[in-house]
Amino acid sequence: MLLGCAGMSVVALLVQVIALEHTQLALLIYPAAFLCSVSLLALVRRRRLQLAGSVFLIFLWAAITLGALTYGGIRSPSAGGHILIVIIATLLFSGRLVLMFVALSLATLAGILAVEELGYLPERLTPDTPEVAFIAHFIHLFSAGFFLYLAVKNLQDARQRAREGASKAAELLREATAAKNYADNILASMAESLIVLDPRGTIVTVNKASLDLLGYTPELLLGKNFTLVLPDFGALATDAEPPVGAHEPVERSYRNAEGRPVPVLFSHARLPEAQGERGGSVCVASDITQLKHAENSLREAKQIAEEASLAKSRFLANMSHELRTPLNAVIGYAEMLLEEAEERQIASSADEVRKIQFAGKHLLGLISDILDLSKIEAGRMDIHLETFDVADMIDTVLGTVGPMIAKNGNQISISCPPSIGFVHADLTKIRQILLNLLSNAAKFTDKGSIRLSVSRLLQGGTQTIQFLIADTGIGMTQGQVTQLFQAFSQGDSSTSRRYGGTGLGLAITKAFADMLGGTIEVQSKLGAGTVFVVRLPFVNPRDLSGSKRSTALPPEIADAARAAAARAGLIAARPGGEGPPRGA
């Protein structure tokens, strides 16, 4: 529009200069109009539209008023130019500004009329000729036509934009409706309860699962405070300031329409802010009523099972004397019969009695394992601490397990440095641990080698004694290793059928190691053998009694132990009294 005004100023100036002789006013008005249009165009480019339009209309009003006063007064063709002010104001502004410029134009016309009636009109600056009138009407018609063209064009453009906007709005409405229906379908199909709150904690949205869970209708929930559903809402810090995004759900209790509590797994998260305002929060809950019932049932079943297991363990522990005494009597009588058969040289009877004796001892061992495990489960297994020589204990263990090792054609090597000396611990349980592990190694190794190593370690400022038992036997798979220390469990049914056993030995070994404050580890590879490592706390008797007792084994005890082991066929004499290894 401003470019059009500048162009019209140039055209009007040329027409008036060429057609008229008196061009003083034209040379004053039209260049000024041109410069004003350029200046206003600069304001428009700076986005000062309302200021530029107002200045432009004031300048146009001044030019029209000046033309009317200097050429014909109220009858001047210039007076009709006030219609341009109204048209342009309508195009540029709305509301009060349009009314202001309409009132200004009417007041100006009234003022020109008053001046003319009072005889104060200034002298004409242009002659009253048909040519001047023609040019004035030409300029007015051209300007009016130009601005009317702009107005119609703007109206057409606005109408087209309105149509396009309506089409886009309809498309957006369809998309929004589809999105809302999609979201509503998701909410309706959710199995979890979903409740949306505004920043004040008022319920604004609920899904079908919430209504089914609580037994409410939407009218009874919407607009109510969330404490109607969750009475203790606000008790937790996350209730007042919920975190953004998902967080760990917690157990809470909803209250249904009948006033009964409904246990739920509750999660509360803050919604994103919209236009600087808090967006409220969303509460998601899962009904865990059945889960709580199942949990209570499992807890009751667990308690019953534990009570039954404890009763069984107490029964077996109390039956220790009743079970062992008759069996020891059978074994004792078998030994007496065996001695009498040997004295009478009745070979056939002696063989039968040996079978009875072996079966009785085997049964006594099984009963002892079961009773030990029962005592452990019943909490009746005590720890008896005493000071003993580790080397003597190992020789005793070898004397017991030696026949089993030799039976399968195995060789054993012992590594026990004399510096280990004495230890203050439970001799019976440590000896039982080694017996169980060496018996297993002997049972599952055929014509192989077994190694027992004893050492002292310093771990984290604490001294420990370590027993390592390694064999070259059948080994185990990783799955068998994971269930190794479970009571009554063996590698598989074929192992149980071939090698026998109840699967209690290692369970008791693990329990003894735990009771003594130690650990037991195992590494095994199928077909390559197994390694057990037992670590127990090492308590030096010197730290208890202050004794200066030598850690070396007394010569007479060492000689007797080596002689006993040699008679058992387990070890060979060590040259020069040197330490390990002991080998067969």
Side-chain angles (χ1 to χ4, degrees):
M1 182 178 292
L2 292 175
L3 289 175
C5 291
M8 285 191 298
S9 298
V10 174
V11 172
L13 176 62
L14 293 177
V15 170
Q16 192 156 348
V17 169
I18 294 173
L20 302 176
E21 297 178 358
H22 302 281
T23 59
Q24 294 88 351
L25 185 59
L27 292 176
L28 176 65
I29 294 177
Y30 294 112
F34 177 78
L35 293 176
C36 181
S37 299
V38 173
S39 301
L40 294 177
L41 183 62
L43 288 176
V44 171
R45 292 187 180 276
R46 293 187 179 182
R47 304 287 182 182
R48 307 294 297 272
L49 300 178
Q50 191 167 350
L51 176 61
S54 300
V55 172
F56 171 73
L57 286 179
I58 291 173
F59 174 78
L60 183 61
W61 168 83
I64 292 173
T65 303
L66 180 61
L69 290 174
T70 59
Y71 182 73
I74 195 65
R75 299 178 182 83
S76 173
S78 298
H82 285 283
I83 191 64
L84 294 177
I85 297 176
V86 176
I87 293 174
I88 296 173
T90 305
L91 292 175
L92 295 179
F93 310 120
S94 61
R96 294 181 179 179
L97 284 177
V98 175
L99 294 177
M100 287 175 56
F101 280 104
V102 170
L104 178 62
S105 297
L106 293 175
T108 301
L109 292 176
I112 294 173
L113 177 61
V115 169
E116 184 175 354
E117 291 292 333
L118 295 175
Y120 292 119
L121 279 178
E123 185 180 354
R124 290 177 180 269
L125 295 179
T126 55
D128 187 11
T129 62
E131 292 82 2
V132 173
F134 172 78
I135 291 173
H137 287 300
F138 174 80
I139 292 174
H140 293 161
L141 289 174
F142 179 78
S143 300
F146 176 74
F147 285 112
L148 287 175
Y149 165 75
L150 291 179
V152 173
K153 187 176 185 304
N154 286 338
L155 288 175
Q156 291 177 344
D157 292 342
R159 185 178 180 184
Q160 182 63 28
R161 287 194 298 270
R163 290 175 179 173
E164 293 175 355
S167 176
K168 290 181 179 179
E171 181 64 25
L172 291 175
L173 180 60
R174 286 193 296 270
E175 292 178 358
T177 303
K180 180 179 182 301
N181 293 335
Y182 182 73
D184 290 343
N185 291 334
I186 292 178
L187 294 179
S189 62
M190 285 181 61
E192 292 80 9
S193 165
L194 184 140
I195 300 177
V196 181
L197 310 178
D198 66 7
R200 296 180 298 276
T202 303
I203 300 173
V204 294
T205 302
V206 292
N207 66 344
K208 184 177 182 298
S210 300
L211 302 176
D212 294 341
L213 176 65
L214 301 172
Y216 282 104
T217 60
E219 294 77 14
L220 296 176
L221 283 181
L222 296 178
K224 302 296 191 300
N225 194 277
F226 190 53
T227 53
L228 176 67
V229 174
L230 186 61
D232 64 342
F233 183 68
L236 302 181
T238 54
D239 293 342
E241 287 294 333
V244 178
H247 65 94
E248 191 68 23
V250 295
E251 288 190 17
R252 305 286 288 269
S253 289
Y254 277 1
R255 184 170 58 193
N256 63 12
E258 299 176 356
R260 292 199 303 267
V262 180
V264 295
L265 204 59
F266 180 79
S267 178
H268 187 208
R270 186 167 70 248
L271 292 174
E273 296 182 355
Q275 297 180 354
E277 298 182 358
R278 292 185 59 185
S281 57
V282 59
C283 305
V284 179
S286 301
D287 184 10
I288 56 173
T289 303
Q290 298 298 328
L291 183 62
K292 296 296 288 185
H293 289 335
E295 182 181 344
N296 293 333
S297 299
L298 288 175
R299 188 180 293 111
E300 293 174 359
K302 179 176 179 292
Q303 183 177 357
I304 294 173
E306 288 176 349
E307 292 176 354
S309 177
L310 185 61
K312 177 264 299 180
S313 299
R314 287 174 178 171
F315 169 75
L316 292 177
N318 292 331
M319 290 296 293
S320 172
H321 179 73
E322 285 76 5
L323 290 173
R324 293 183 190 226
T325 300
L327 195 55
N328 283 326
V330 171
I331 295 173
Y333 281 121
E335 290 178 351
M336 294 171 57
L337 291 175
L338 181 60
E339 291 177 359
E340 185 177 352
E342 289 177 347
E343 289 176 359
R344 296 182 180 184
Q345 296 181 351
I346 306 175
S348 59
S349 298
D351 292 338
E352 298 298 330
V353 173
R354 284 192 186 93
K355 292 179 182 179
I356 296 174
Q357 185 185 36
F358 175 78
K361 289 183 177 181
H362 180 69
L363 183 58
L364 180 62
L366 296 180
I367 293 175
S368 297
D369 286 345
I370 294 175
L371 292 176
D372 286 342
L373 186 62
S374 299
K375 285 183 179 181
I376 293 171
E377 292 178 348
R380 298 180 59 177
M381 180 66 71
D382 298 325
I383 297 177
H384 302 282
L385 300 178
E386 57 183 304
T387 299
F388 60 91
D389 188 359
V390 176
D392 281 351
M393 177 199 65
I394 291 176
D395 286 336
T396 302
V397 170
L398 291 177
T400 303
V401 79
M404 181 182 296
I405 295 174
K407 178 182 178 181
N408 287 349
N410 297 312
Q411 294 183 343
I412 184 169
S413 61
I414 309 296
S415 174
C416 181
S419 59
I420 293 180
F422 290 82
V423 66
H424 190 73
D426 191 319
L427 171 62
T428 303
K429 290 180 176 56
I430 295 179
R431 184 167 55 202
Q432 188 64 43
I433 289 173
L434 296 180
L435 280 172
N436 290 342
L437 294 178
L438 289 172
S439 298
N440 264 14
K443 181 167 63 173
F444 295 110
T445 304
D446 188 21
K447 296 181 176 59
S449 61
I450 301 172
R451 176 167 56 93
L452 171 61
S453 299
V454 186
S455 58
R456 281 170 57 180
L457 305 174
L458 184 63
Q459 293 181 337
T462 304
Q463 283 194 343
T464 61
I465 181 169
Q466 174 179 287
F467 300 92
L468 184 146
I469 298 93
D471 63 64
T472 59
I474 62 175
M476 292 176 287
T477 64
Q478 190 60 37
Q480 292 171 336
V481 170
T482 56
Q483 59 180 2
L484 193 61
F485 298 108
Q486 298 177 12
F488 304 101
S489 175
Q490 289 188 324
D492 52 40
S493 58
S494 62
T495 303
S496 178
R497 288 193 300 269
R498 179 178 177 183
Y499 297 98
T502 60
L504 293 176
L506 289 179
I508 294 173
T509 300
K510 178 70 165 58
F512 282 172
D514 293 339
M515 290 178 64
L516 297 176
T519 61
I520 181 170
E521 300 174 0
V522 58
Q523 294 180 356
S524 185
K525 186 177 180 181
L526 190 63
T530 304
V531 177
F532 285 92
V533 178
V534 180
R535 296 187 183 91
L536 302 173
F538 180 84
V539 179
N540 196 325
R542 292 180 178 179
D543 299 334
L544 301 175
S545 62
S547 172
K548 301 301 181 182
R549 190 175 175 185
S550 172
T551 57
L553 192 65
E556 61 273 17
I557 298 178
D559 292 339
R562 282 195 295 271
R567 286 194 300 271
L570 296 175
I571 61 174
R574 288 170 286 177
E578 294 294 328
R582 301 179 183 180

